[in-house]
Amino acid sequence: MSNEDQLQHEQASTDKPVYILAIETSCDETSVAIVENGKIIRSNVISSQIETHQRYGGVVPEVASRKHVESITWMLEEAVAEAGVSLQELSAIAVTEGPGLIGALLVGVVAGKALACALDLPLIGVHHIAGHIYANQLVHELAYPSISLVVSGGHTELILLEGPGQFRFIGRTRDDAAGEAYDKIARAMGLPYPGGPHVDRLAQEADSEIKMPRSWLEVDSYDFSFSGLKSAVLNVVNQSKMRGETVQVAQIAKGFQASVIDVLVEKAGRAVQEFGAKQLLLAGGVAANKGLRSALAERCEQLGVPLLVPPHRLCTDNAAMIAAAAFLKWDKQEFDAMDLKAEPQLKLEEW
């Protein structure tokens, strides 16, 4: 951007608010939001498909895509109406371009491109994980450098934020993500989908636990591995069934959650110290887990570093977080062309 363009951009930004309409369809939630200046949520409507996928015990990609097609038009209308912002007042259109389910992503990308084209507005493709991280920006002031612990159904990662929109991976899962492990062990114990909230509740209620292993990997590693823990839980469940015993669901849940939390908290705390982080950001669907929130808060208090956690409504997939991340691109006037594609394997470092 030239100095003249920069001055014009700064002048325009002081003249009127920036309204970004964002679309999120990466998995099984259809969401549309309008966010003002990257921080003020004017609307954030979400249509969940949980009831549809519960009968299958997990998300069926083709079904998810069809549900997005059914919902996207009226979700756009509802978000605009709720925000009290006219289409003519919008500044840009943002949409999740990846990662996610290819069919689901395509619905949002096509809708976003059509709207941007019809309104002659800039288009901003957004990385889904950047959205989860910057959901914190909707309720907190961010300071850099910071460490983000991203914990969801498809991701478990430690990311160093060296500055606004500057991401560097320092650790990631080598197999199952934490949220995926939650759902798999919950299914084995006969708990409804999604399993995470049920396992968390049972873990909080149990007065004893069945001890489970911890996977620390190499001494200096920030990576994660939950496949062994998942196998240990399944082994306990299967042995109980073979002996004709009642499966101690609550005690297993407590042991499983204790193992997951111990590893996540220890590695996140060590990363904060090593990289001199000013904040620890928790992000992703599993950020709603009460046990994890409590343990991280305790560790951060010991380290003297603030823990930033979005409210529950902003932990799971939603479009407001996509708009918050898109504001980073708006601020630098970095827009996408109309040949933007859905990228199911989009890399955060390349965004």
Side-chain angles (χ1 to χ4, degrees):
M1 186 188 303
S2 68
N3 291 335
E4 184 178 348
D5 289 341
Q6 180 67 36
L7 288 172
Q8 290 177 350
H9 169 55
E10 291 175 357
Q11 180 63 40
S13 66
T14 59
D15 290 342
K16 62 180 182 178
V18 174
Y19 293 119
I20 296 180
L21 182 148
I23 300 169
E24 155 61 26
T25 63
S26 65
C27 190
D28 62 336
E29 273 95 16
T30 312
S31 181
V32 181
I34 294 178
V35 174
E36 179 181 341
N37 297 332
K39 293 184 178 181
I40 303 170
I41 300 175
R42 297 297 297 264
S43 64
N44 188 26
V45 296
I46 304 169
S47 176
S48 175
Q49 300 177 15
I50 286 179
E51 290 186 5
T52 299
H53 297 285
Q54 274 179 337
R55 72 188 74 172
Y56 308 109
V59 177
V60 180
E62 179 62 23
V63 173
S65 302
R66 291 176 182 273
K67 286 291 182 182
H68 288 311
V69 172
E70 293 173 4
S71 305
I72 189 65
T73 302
W74 65 263
M75 294 292 288
L76 285 164
E77 294 173 349
E78 188 172 330
V80 172
E82 184 178 309
V85 175
S86 69
L87 294 177
Q88 289 69 36
E89 293 176 280
L90 295 177
S91 307
I93 306 298
V95 61
T96 303
E97 63 173 309
L101 303 174
I102 181 63
L105 289 168
L106 277 169
V107 177
V109 168
V110 170
K113 288 162 66 172
L115 194 58
C117 184
L119 298 175
D120 193 23
L121 290 175
L123 177 68
I124 303 173
V126 177
H127 193 287
H128 183 72
I129 297 304
H132 274 303
I133 293 170
Y134 276 88
N136 282 287
Q137 183 176 267
L138 295 166
V139 287
H140 303 290
E141 287 294 329
L142 304 190
Y144 302 95
S146 59
I147 293 290
S148 180
L149 173 61
V150 180
V151 196
S152 68
H155 301 268
T156 304
E157 296 149 346
L158 276 170
I159 300 170
L160 172 63
L161 277 73
E162 299 172 296
Q166 298 175 20
F167 309 99
R168 177 155 70 93
F169 280 94
I170 59 173
R172 65 183 81 206
T173 185
R174 297 182 182 179
D175 40 59
D176 291 349
E180 182 182 4
Y182 267 93
D183 285 339
K184 286 179 177 177
I185 70 111
R187 186 182 306 123
M189 295 191 295
L191 298 174
Y193 171 84
H198 299 285
V199 173
D200 183 28
R201 174 181 54 80
L202 289 168
Q204 303 293 326
E205 295 173 354
D207 53 8
S208 64
E209 67 178 270
I210 295 176
K211 294 287 185 180
M212 295 293 170
R214 273 74 170 152
S215 179
W216 298 107
L217 303 176
E218 300 82 10
V219 174
D220 60 348
S221 176
Y222 286 112
D223 284 351
F224 303 97
S225 173
F226 296 108
S227 63
L229 172 59
K230 178 194 66 180
S231 297
V233 170
L234 296 178
N235 187 46
V236 171
V237 172
N238 291 334
Q239 286 186 359
S240 296
K241 291 179 178 178
M242 288 171 63
R243 291 194 293 263
E245 300 171 351
T246 301
V247 177
Q248 296 178 288
V249 176
Q251 290 75 15
I252 293 173
K254 190 175 184 71
F256 168 82
Q257 178 148 300
S259 176
V260 172
I261 288 175
D262 281 355
V263 174
L264 291 175
V265 171
E266 175 59 30
K267 296 200 174 193
R270 182 155 53 87
V272 166
Q273 290 180 297
E274 180 175 340
F275 293 95
K278 296 179 180 179
Q279 299 170 332
L280 175 61
L281 283 60
L282 182 58
V286 184
N289 184 286
K290 293 180 181 178
L292 179 59
R293 284 175 176 241
S294 176
L296 280 173
E298 184 177 341
R299 177 59 60 87
C300 284
E301 186 174 355
Q302 294 169 356
L303 296 173
V305 173
L307 172 66
L308 275 56
V309 188
H312 283 67
R313 71 182 187 281
L314 297 177
C315 289
T316 53
D317 293 350
N318 66 92
M321 70 182 195
I322 301 303
F327 192 77
L328 297 169
K329 297 289 189 180
W330 167 269
D331 213 33
K332 295 184 288 186
Q333 296 288 279
E334 293 180 359
F335 305 130
D336 289 286
M338 285 299 167
D339 61 355
L340 177 74
K341 296 179 176 63
E343 298 285 355
Q345 303 297 327
L346 185 66
K347 305 298 182 185
L348 182 59
E349 303 98 321
E350 299 171 2
W351 180 64

